[in-house]
Structures are given as structure tokens and as C-alpha cells.
């Protein structure tokens, strides 16, 4: 049986691409909507971290930076043990849309998982991206 390998979410934002780029590629931006705090070395191979309430930290590896339109990273797969080396790849693509930005997020790499692990990771991240992109929209509107 074959599983979906990718989650795709698109959102139209009222802010220009430069503003959205800063929200998805800077520590202040990421810490404002995608965690409580963040750090990032914005270059391929650079490390990034997202922390929530000082209790949970997610480690990312920057894979692609093509300012102002493409940002990609890999991260641990939700539901797998911390020492599992498998990762998914997340890519943000920004396109001008009138005076705003169309942001597409694609996360791939779920097909490498077993049935149970796929269900946990894919379902969790599908719900997670819907919530996180709504938080991004609120964050940008409040800025």
C-alpha cells in the first residue's frame, strides 16, 4: 500500500513578500508565530531551533535559501524516537499576489514510514500546518 508523501498548504496573505520572508526566515519572525522563541543560521547547512514554552525544542537544518522566494529545511518526524535519523523536508515558496503574498508550504518524506508511524506523523503535521499558518496570518496582521 502506498501512502501520501506530501502535505501541501497554500495561504494568501495581505503583506508583501519581503514581510512574509522575514516572518519565515528570521529568529524574531519564527519565534513570533511558529514557536515561543527561535534561532536560525540562514544558510544551507545552517542550524535552527524552535522552542515552545521552554519545554520542547525542535531542531531544524536549513537546506535551501533563495531570497525572497524559497526557504527549505529538514526536521525530525513527529512521533518517531528522538534518535531516529529520518527527517521530512519542508519548503516555503513565496509568490507576489497583487499587493500581498501567496505562501505555499510543502512537507515531503512521509512515504518512508510504516503504517502506524505514517498515520501519526502525517495526520499530526496536516493538522499542525493548518494551525501554524493561521498563527502566521494572525502574527502578520498584528505586526
Amino acid at each position: 500500500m502506498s501512502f501520501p508523501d506530501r502535505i501541501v498548504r497554500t495561504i494568501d496573505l495581505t503583506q508583501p513578500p519581503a514581510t512574509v520572508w522575514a516572518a519565515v526566515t528570521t529568529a524574531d519572525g519564527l519565534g513570533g508565530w511558529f514557536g515561543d522563541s527561535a534561532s536560525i543560521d540562514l544558510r544551507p547547512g545552517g542550524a535552527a531551533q524552535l522552542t515552545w514554552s521552554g519545554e520542547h525544542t525542535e531542531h531544524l537544518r536549513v537546506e535551501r535559501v533563495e531570497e525572497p522566494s524559497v526557504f527549505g529545511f529538514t526536521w525530525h518526524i513527529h512521533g518517531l524516537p528522538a534518535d531516529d535519523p529520518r527527517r521530512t523536508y519542508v519548503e516555503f515558496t513565496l509568490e507576489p499576489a497583487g499587493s500581498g503574498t501567496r505562501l505555499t508550504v510543502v512537507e515531503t518524506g512521509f512515504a518512508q514510514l510504516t503504517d502506524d508511524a505514517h498515520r501519526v506523523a502525517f495526520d499530526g503535521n496536516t493538522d499542525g500546518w493548518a494551525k501554524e499558518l493561521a498563527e502566521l496570518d494572525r502574527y502578520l496582521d498584528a505586526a
Side-chain angles (χ1 to χ4, degrees), residues 6-131:
R6 66 182 41 225
I7 297 167
V8 179
R9 291 286 178 263
T10 299
I11 185 171
D12 288 322
L13 302 162
T14 59
Q15 295 74 21
T19 301
V20 177
W21 179 259
V24 300
T25 63
T26 67
D28 287 343
L30 289 166
W33 68 276
F34 199 23
D36 296 324
S37 65
S39 65
I40 186 167
D41 178 5
L42 189 62
R43 63 181 176 80
Q49 288 186 340
L50 299 169
T51 303
W52 291 266
S53 303
E55 297 175 12
H56 175 75
T57 299
E58 193 66 47
H59 300 274
L60 290 67
R61 182 177 190 275
V62 176
E63 301 290 345
R64 188 171 174 194
V65 179
E66 295 179 19
E67 187 174 353
S69 59
V70 181
F71 169 58
F73 62 84
T74 53
W75 65 349
H76 180 261
I77 299 173
H78 173 70
L80 295 183
D83 62 347
D84 192 298
R86 291 174 288 181
R87 301 287 183 262
T88 56
Y89 175 70
V90 177
E91 188 168 276
F92 292 84
T93 303
L94 292 73
E95 301 173 85
S99 61
T101 305
R102 175 163 290 146
L103 174 66
T104 301
V105 179
V106 178
E107 182 172 11
T108 59
F110 296 99
Q112 66 185 308
L113 302 173
T114 63
D115 295 2
D116 291 339
H118 182 275
R119 187 170 14 284
V120 169
F122 190 83
D123 292 351
N125 287 24
T126 297
D127 292 341
W129 282 118
K131 291 174 185 171

